[in-house]
Amino acid sequence: MKRIVLFASGNGSNFEAILQAVANKELNVEVAGLICDHEGAYCLTRAKNHAVPSAIFLKKNFSTKAEMDTAIADQCDAWEADWLVLAGYMRLVSTPILSRYPHRIVNIHPSLLPKYRGKDAIGQAIAAGEKTMGVTIHYVDEGMDTGEIIAQFPFDVQENEERSEIETKLHALEHIAYPKVLKQLLEETL
Ligand code: GAR
């Protein structure tokens, strides 16, 4: 069975959805650990509740990004990860991690890429008056949400729909889509 390490920065609802899919045997992987870059992030509480080991890496404790990402890659190696799964990890992943896990790092982003890369993709799409929004799951490269697209899930936005409603729809879609795509990707690759 493949071993995955999840990366999250905040709430961790996608992390939880993946853990749930594993618990329900809808996704046959071993969750080896959680990498987090924020002390006190709720995803750490979720990890504890599910007895998933976690490791916190704070930017302030490293003099360079390369140093921080080397330490993160070392932790992923120690957990014997096959794949790295970014789920709300709000930081670029750099060479020390990318070079050790080539084509083995995926991310979920709340827009139909290549539209609305980076922060507050939902706000960007709303400001642009999009009538169709969506979610993208993609491989991670050194750019900001620029890696090869694996799957996209669009949904319609109604006239004058509140942001909170849009977010609820989008997150519900993410929680279904990510485990499903991971299943295809991880259970079918060697
Ligand atoms: C998710 O909507 C995810 O798509 C987004 O952050 C949210 C995390 O929510 N990721 C990005 O914007 C990455 N560029 P969660 O912590 O509840 O899973």
Side-chain angles (χ1 to χ4, degrees), residues 8-15 46 87-90 107-110 118-122 145 170-171 174-175:
S9 297
N11 179 23
S13 70
N14 280 283
F15 169 56
R46 295 184 196 265
Y89 184 67
M90 299 303 182
N107 181 42
I108 188 161
H109 184 74
K119 287 202 177 130
D120 192 21
I122 300 173
D145 305 315
L170 187 140
H171 289 129
E174 287 189 325
H175 300 159

Side-chain angles (χ1 to χ4, degrees), residues 26 44 57 84 132 155 160:
E26 291 156 13
L44 292 165
F57 294 87
L84 310 184
T132 303
F155 65 93
N160 299 323

